[in-house]
Amino acid sequence: MQAEVGDKLCVHGRVVGQQDRTAEIVEVLGTGGAPPYRVRYDDGHEAVMSPGPDSVVRHQDREPGPG
């Protein structure tokens, strides 16, 4: 799993009826974009996470480089 600051982390609900949670990655604590990540949820809560297999990184739109 690789991420950059500004990407979104989506954690899927693990049980029936539990909604997915989405948080913005505000700091990458691992090397080369690897976890753990400091994330901020919509309600302002922050946490340090090492996402599991129930999580997906949604990359922010990035401008293509020259060339």
Side-chain angles (χ1 to χ4, degrees), residues 3-67:
E4 294 183 15
V5 172
D7 289 347
K8 300 289 185 180
L9 181 67
C10 180
V11 181
H12 298 292
R14 295 186 196 186
V15 295
V16 173
Q18 185 179 37
Q19 295 185 3
D20 294 351
R21 292 190 68 191
T22 302
E24 179 182 359
I25 297 174
V26 294
E27 185 178 5
V28 177
L29 301 169
T31 57
Y37 306 122
R38 180 177 308 279
V39 299
R40 182 180 302 126
Y41 292 96
D42 292 337
D43 64 2
H45 175 79
E46 290 191 8
V48 174
M49 296 185 65
S50 291
D54 58 345
S55 302
V56 177
V57 172
R58 294 192 177 137
H59 301 285
Q60 65 180 348
D61 291 333
R62 294 186 179 86
E63 294 290 324

